[in-house]
Amino acid sequence: VLSEPSCACGCYAWPIFLVCRLRSWYCTIDDAYMQTDKSLKYADGKILVFARPPVNGHVKTRLAKTIGNKHALEVYIDLLKHTVAMVCSSSLAKVEICVAGNIDHVLFNELVQKYDVELTTQSGNDLGDRMYNAISAALNHFSYCVIIGSDCPVMSADYIDQAFASLEGGFDAVIGPAEDGGYVLLGAKKVEQSWFTDIEWGSQHVHKQTLMKMQDGAIQVAELDVLWDIDTFSDFRRWERQRSTP
Protein backbone atom coordinates (compact mmCIF):
# COMPACT_ATOMS: atom_id res chain seq x y z
CA VAL A 1 0.00 0.00 0.00
CA LEU A 2 1.39 3.40 -0.99
CA SER A 3 1.12 6.06 1.68
CA GLU A 4 3.03 9.07 0.38
CA PRO A 5 2.83 10.92 -2.94
CA SER A 6 5.97 10.61 -5.05
CA CYS A 7 5.65 14.01 -6.71
CA ALA A 8 4.43 17.50 -5.92
CA CYS A 9 1.01 17.15 -7.54
CA GLY A 10 0.06 14.22 -5.29
CA CYS A 11 0.43 11.33 -7.75
CA TYR A 12 1.65 8.09 -6.18
CA ALA A 13 4.54 5.87 -7.17
CA TRP A 14 4.75 3.74 -10.30
CA PRO A 15 2.55 3.36 -12.24
CA ILE A 16 0.43 6.27 -11.05
CA PHE A 17 3.10 8.92 -11.42
CA LEU A 18 2.61 8.53 -15.17
CA VAL A 19 -0.63 10.45 -14.73
CA CYS A 20 1.40 13.39 -13.48
CA ARG A 21 3.73 13.17 -16.49
CA LEU A 22 0.72 13.18 -18.81
CA ARG A 23 -0.72 16.24 -17.07
CA SER A 24 2.59 18.11 -17.49
CA TRP A 25 2.58 17.25 -21.20
CA TYR A 26 -1.00 18.57 -21.58
CA CYS A 27 0.00 21.86 -19.93
CA THR A 28 2.69 22.38 -22.59
CA ILE A 29 0.07 22.04 -25.35
CA ASP A 30 -2.29 24.34 -23.44
CA ASP A 31 0.36 27.06 -23.19
CA ALA A 32 0.91 26.83 -26.95
CA TYR A 33 -2.80 27.42 -27.55
CA MET A 34 -2.74 30.65 -25.56
CA GLN A 35 -0.03 32.00 -27.89
CA THR A 36 -1.54 30.90 -31.21
CA ASP A 37 -3.13 33.07 -33.88
CA LYS A 38 -6.76 31.95 -34.10
CA SER A 39 -7.16 32.36 -37.91
CA LEU A 40 -8.37 29.04 -39.37
CA LYS A 41 -6.71 27.17 -42.22
CA TYR A 42 -9.91 25.29 -43.15
CA ALA A 43 -12.67 27.79 -42.52
CA ASP A 44 -15.16 25.50 -44.30
CA GLY A 45 -14.30 22.57 -42.05
CA LYS A 46 -15.15 21.41 -38.55
CA ILE A 47 -13.47 19.14 -36.00
CA LEU A 48 -15.81 17.01 -33.89
CA VAL A 49 -14.34 15.65 -30.65
CA PHE A 50 -16.41 12.78 -29.25
CA ALA A 51 -16.34 12.64 -25.44
CA ARG A 52 -18.10 11.21 -22.41
CA PRO A 53 -18.79 12.91 -19.10
CA PRO A 54 -15.84 12.23 -16.77
CA VAL A 55 -17.61 9.96 -14.29
CA ASN A 56 -15.63 7.68 -12.00
CA GLY A 57 -15.99 4.06 -13.10
CA HIS A 58 -17.46 4.89 -16.50
CA VAL A 59 -14.40 5.95 -18.51
CA LYS A 60 -11.19 4.10 -19.40
CA THR A 61 -12.62 0.95 -17.82
CA ARG A 62 -10.00 -1.38 -19.34
CA LEU A 63 -7.18 0.81 -18.04
CA ALA A 64 -8.93 0.96 -14.66
CA LYS A 65 -8.48 -2.80 -14.24
CA THR A 66 -4.79 -2.08 -13.65
CA ILE A 67 -4.60 1.39 -12.10
CA GLY A 68 -8.05 1.74 -10.55
CA ASN A 69 -11.09 3.85 -11.40
CA LYS A 70 -9.83 7.05 -9.79
CA HIS A 71 -6.57 7.18 -11.70
CA ALA A 72 -8.17 5.97 -14.93
CA LEU A 73 -10.53 8.93 -14.59
CA GLU A 74 -7.54 11.26 -14.20
CA VAL A 75 -5.98 9.82 -17.34
CA TYR A 76 -9.22 10.30 -19.25
CA ILE A 77 -9.55 13.92 -18.15
CA ASP A 78 -5.95 14.70 -19.07
CA LEU A 79 -6.30 13.04 -22.48
CA LEU A 80 -9.47 14.98 -23.21
CA LYS A 81 -7.87 18.26 -22.15
CA HIS A 82 -4.85 17.49 -24.32
CA THR A 83 -7.00 16.65 -27.34
CA VAL A 84 -9.04 19.85 -27.09
CA ALA A 85 -5.93 21.96 -26.54
CA MET A 86 -4.20 20.30 -29.50
CA VAL A 87 -7.00 20.81 -32.00
CA CYS A 88 -7.60 24.39 -30.85
CA SER A 89 -3.92 25.32 -31.00
CA SER A 90 -3.75 23.87 -34.52
CA SER A 91 -5.98 26.66 -35.88
CA LEU A 92 -7.20 24.23 -38.53
CA ALA A 93 -10.98 24.50 -38.14
CA LYS A 94 -13.82 25.20 -35.74
CA VAL A 95 -14.03 22.70 -32.89
CA GLU A 96 -17.12 21.06 -31.41
CA ILE A 97 -17.12 18.76 -28.38
CA CYS A 98 -19.90 16.19 -28.78
CA VAL A 99 -20.83 14.67 -25.43
CA ALA A 100 -22.54 11.31 -24.91
CA GLY A 101 -24.48 12.30 -21.82
CA ASN A 102 -24.64 15.23 -19.44
CA ILE A 103 -22.91 18.32 -20.84
CA ASP A 104 -23.19 20.27 -17.56
CA HIS A 105 -20.09 18.74 -15.99
CA VAL A 106 -17.62 21.31 -14.67
CA LEU A 107 -14.91 20.00 -17.02
CA PHE A 108 -16.92 20.86 -20.12
CA ASN A 109 -17.73 24.30 -18.75
CA GLU A 110 -14.01 24.82 -18.14
CA LEU A 111 -13.13 23.84 -21.72
CA VAL A 112 -15.81 26.09 -23.21
CA GLN A 113 -14.57 29.04 -21.16
CA LYS A 114 -10.92 28.45 -22.03
CA TYR A 115 -11.19 27.63 -25.74
CA ASP A 116 -13.25 28.70 -28.72
CA VAL A 117 -15.31 25.49 -28.82
CA GLU A 118 -18.95 24.56 -29.19
CA LEU A 119 -20.55 22.03 -26.84
CA THR A 120 -23.32 19.71 -28.04
CA THR A 121 -25.03 16.51 -26.95
CA GLN A 122 -24.72 13.33 -29.01
CA SER A 123 -27.98 11.86 -30.23
CA GLY A 124 -28.72 8.32 -31.36
CA ASN A 125 -29.29 4.78 -30.12
CA ASP A 126 -25.72 3.54 -30.52
CA LEU A 127 -22.26 4.80 -31.46
CA GLY A 128 -22.97 4.46 -35.17
CA ASP A 129 -26.15 6.52 -34.94
CA ARG A 130 -24.41 9.16 -32.86
CA MET A 131 -21.50 9.48 -35.29
CA TYR A 132 -23.79 9.67 -38.31
CA ASN A 133 -26.00 12.29 -36.68
CA ALA A 134 -23.03 14.41 -35.58
CA ILE A 135 -21.41 14.36 -39.03
CA SER A 136 -24.71 15.05 -40.77
CA ALA A 137 -25.39 18.04 -38.51
CA ALA A 138 -21.90 19.44 -39.14
CA LEU A 139 -22.25 19.04 -42.91
CA ASN A 140 -25.42 21.14 -42.84
CA HIS A 141 -23.20 24.14 -42.11
CA PHE A 142 -19.69 23.13 -43.22
CA SER A 143 -18.25 21.66 -46.41
CA TYR A 144 -16.43 18.86 -44.59
CA CYS A 145 -15.65 17.65 -41.10
CA VAL A 146 -13.50 15.17 -39.20
CA ILE A 147 -14.47 13.26 -36.09
CA ILE A 148 -11.98 12.05 -33.48
CA GLY A 149 -11.99 10.70 -29.94
CA SER A 150 -9.76 11.73 -27.07
CA ASP A 151 -7.74 8.57 -26.44
CA CYS A 152 -5.09 8.88 -29.17
CA PRO A 153 -2.31 11.10 -27.79
CA VAL A 154 -0.03 10.31 -30.74
CA MET A 155 -2.44 12.07 -33.10
CA SER A 156 -1.01 15.41 -34.14
CA ALA A 157 -2.33 18.55 -35.79
CA ASP A 158 -0.42 17.51 -38.92
CA TYR A 159 -2.38 14.26 -38.99
CA ILE A 160 -5.69 16.14 -38.91
CA ASP A 161 -4.32 18.58 -41.49
CA GLN A 162 -3.69 15.62 -43.81
CA ALA A 163 -7.30 14.55 -43.36
CA PHE A 164 -8.64 17.98 -44.31
CA ALA A 165 -6.22 18.21 -47.25
CA SER A 166 -7.51 14.87 -48.54
CA LEU A 167 -11.09 16.12 -48.44
CA GLU A 168 -10.16 19.38 -50.11
CA GLY A 169 -8.16 17.42 -52.68
CA GLY A 170 -11.13 15.48 -54.01
CA PHE A 171 -11.71 12.51 -51.70
CA ASP A 172 -15.23 11.97 -50.38
CA ALA A 173 -14.03 10.57 -47.08
CA VAL A 174 -10.87 9.92 -45.10
CA ILE A 175 -10.14 7.37 -42.42
CA GLY A 176 -7.32 7.05 -39.89
CA PRO A 177 -6.89 3.36 -39.00
CA ALA A 178 -5.99 2.17 -35.51
CA GLU A 179 -3.67 -0.71 -34.72
CA ASP A 180 -6.46 -2.54 -32.88
CA GLY A 181 -8.64 -2.69 -35.98
CA GLY A 182 -10.76 0.36 -35.29
CA TYR A 183 -10.10 3.90 -36.41
CA VAL A 184 -8.95 7.07 -34.68
CA LEU A 185 -10.32 9.55 -37.23
CA LEU A 186 -13.11 9.66 -39.77
CA GLY A 187 -13.63 12.59 -42.11
CA ALA A 188 -16.19 13.28 -44.80
CA LYS A 189 -17.71 15.87 -47.07
CA LYS A 190 -20.77 13.67 -47.55
CA VAL A 191 -22.01 10.85 -45.36
CA GLU A 192 -24.18 7.75 -45.65
CA GLN A 193 -25.87 6.03 -42.73
CA SER A 194 -24.81 2.65 -44.15
CA TRP A 195 -21.21 3.41 -43.08
CA PHE A 196 -22.32 3.01 -39.47
CA THR A 197 -24.87 0.20 -39.79
CA ASP A 198 -24.11 -3.41 -38.82
CA ILE A 199 -20.63 -2.54 -37.56
CA GLU A 200 -19.11 -4.67 -34.78
CA TRP A 201 -18.23 -1.68 -32.59
CA GLY A 202 -15.34 -2.33 -30.24
CA SER A 203 -14.02 -5.22 -32.32
CA GLN A 204 -10.94 -5.58 -34.53
CA HIS A 205 -13.20 -5.45 -37.61
CA VAL A 206 -14.47 -1.87 -37.36
CA HIS A 207 -12.03 -0.29 -39.81
CA LYS A 208 -12.32 -3.06 -42.38
CA GLN A 209 -16.13 -3.17 -42.22
CA THR A 210 -16.44 0.61 -42.50
CA LEU A 211 -14.03 0.78 -45.43
CA MET A 212 -15.91 -1.97 -47.28
CA LYS A 213 -19.21 -0.15 -46.86
CA MET A 214 -17.69 3.07 -48.21
CA GLN A 215 -16.15 1.29 -51.18
CA ASP A 216 -19.41 -0.54 -51.91
CA GLY A 217 -21.01 2.89 -52.24
CA ALA A 218 -18.35 4.04 -54.72
CA ILE A 219 -16.95 6.48 -52.15
CA GLN A 220 -13.45 7.77 -52.81
CA VAL A 221 -11.66 7.15 -49.52
CA ALA A 222 -8.21 8.31 -48.44
CA GLU A 223 -6.41 6.31 -45.75
CA LEU A 224 -4.00 7.94 -43.33
CA ASP A 225 -1.17 6.30 -41.39
CA VAL A 226 -2.07 3.73 -38.76
CA LEU A 227 -2.01 5.09 -35.18
CA TRP A 228 -2.68 3.57 -31.76
CA ASP A 229 -4.69 4.73 -28.80
CA ILE A 230 -4.68 4.22 -25.05
CA ASP A 231 -7.07 1.52 -23.87
CA THR A 232 -4.93 -0.61 -21.56
CA PHE A 233 -2.02 -0.14 -19.18
CA SER A 234 0.36 -1.58 -21.79
CA ASP A 235 -0.79 1.18 -24.16
CA PHE A 236 -0.17 3.74 -21.44
CA ARG A 237 3.37 2.42 -20.79
CA ARG A 238 4.04 2.46 -24.53
CA TRP A 239 3.13 6.14 -24.64
CA GLU A 240 5.41 6.85 -21.69
CA ARG A 241 8.31 5.05 -23.37
CA GLN A 242 7.72 6.94 -26.61
CA ARG A 243 7.68 10.29 -24.82
CA SER A 244 10.88 9.40 -22.96
CA THR A 245 12.80 8.49 -26.14
CA PRO A 246 15.21 11.30 -27.18
Side-chain angles (χ1 to χ4, degrees):
V1 177
L2 301 172
S3 60
E4 294 184 1
S6 61
C7 68
C9 77
C11 293
Y12 286 84
W14 174 268
I16 307 307
F17 83 98
L18 297 181
V19 176
C20 176
R21 297 281 296 273
L22 184 63
R23 183 171 296 119
S24 175
W25 161 68
Y26 148 70
C27 290
T28 301
I29 300 293
D30 185 57
D31 289 343
Y33 168 79
M34 304 306 292
Q35 303 171 15
T36 301
D37 179 8
K38 303 307 187 295
S39 59
L40 301 177
K41 183 174 182 179
Y42 300 100
D44 291 333
K46 194 166 198 181
I47 300 171
L48 308 176
V49 180
F50 259 38
R52 295 180 180 180
V55 177
N56 192 32
H58 292 271
V59 294
K60 289 290 161 212
T61 53
R62 292 173 63 189
L63 181 60
K65 293 177 181 178
T66 304
I67 67 175
N69 288 333
K70 175 184 175 182
H71 295 296
L73 175 62
E74 292 176 353
V75 171
Y76 172 78
I77 291 173
D78 288 339
L79 286 172
L80 178 57
K81 286 182 175 181
H82 158 75
T83 300
V84 174
M86 182 269 292
V87 293
C88 289
S89 66
S90 72
S91 296
L92 290 173
K94 294 287 290 183
V95 177
E96 177 180 331
I97 304 174
C98 307
V99 182
N102 182 15
I103 65 174
D104 295 327
H105 192 280
V106 62
L107 173 62
F108 298 131
N109 293 329
E110 173 188 327
L111 293 173
V112 168
Q113 292 174 10
K114 181 175 288 188
Y115 305 108
D116 182 18
V117 297
E118 181 182 357
L119 191 63
T120 60
T121 302
Q122 297 177 25
S123 64
N125 296 322
D126 59 21
L127 178 60
D129 282 346
R130 296 195 297 271
M131 293 180 67
Y132 171 73
N133 291 336
I135 294 174
S136 295
L139 293 180
N140 285 333
H141 304 283
F142 295 86
S143 299
Y144 37 75
C145 70
V146 299
I147 186 170
I148 62 175
S150 62
D151 54 0
C152 182
V154 293
M155 182 183 296
S156 65
D158 286 342
Y159 192 83
I160 300 174
D161 195 343
Q162 292 175 38
F164 278 124
S166 297
L167 296 172
E168 274 206 339
F171 287 96
D172 300 315
V174 57
I175 193 166
E179 285 186 2
D180 61 8
Y183 52 79
V184 298
L185 177 151
L186 184 69
K189 57 186 179 185
K190 62 181 180 180
V191 64
E192 300 292 338
Q193 192 158 19
S194 61
W195 302 355
F196 309 97
T197 303
D198 297 325
I199 301 294
E200 298 175 61
W201 299 110
S203 77
Q204 61 184 350
H205 308 298
V206 172
H207 167 246
K208 182 178 180 180
Q209 291 174 341
T210 303
L211 191 60
M212 289 179 62
K213 286 176 177 290
M214 289 179 170
Q215 293 171 339
D216 288 345
I219 298 296
Q220 296 295 313
V221 188
E223 289 200 78
L224 303 178
D225 292 339
V226 179
L227 299 183
W228 53 274
D229 48 22
I230 294 180
D231 289 320
T232 65
F233 184 60
S234 62
D235 298 328
F236 196 50
R237 290 192 64 184
R238 178 182 181 182
W239 170 234
E240 176 63 15
R241 288 193 299 270
Q242 179 169 318
R243 291 183 58 231
S244 300
T245 301

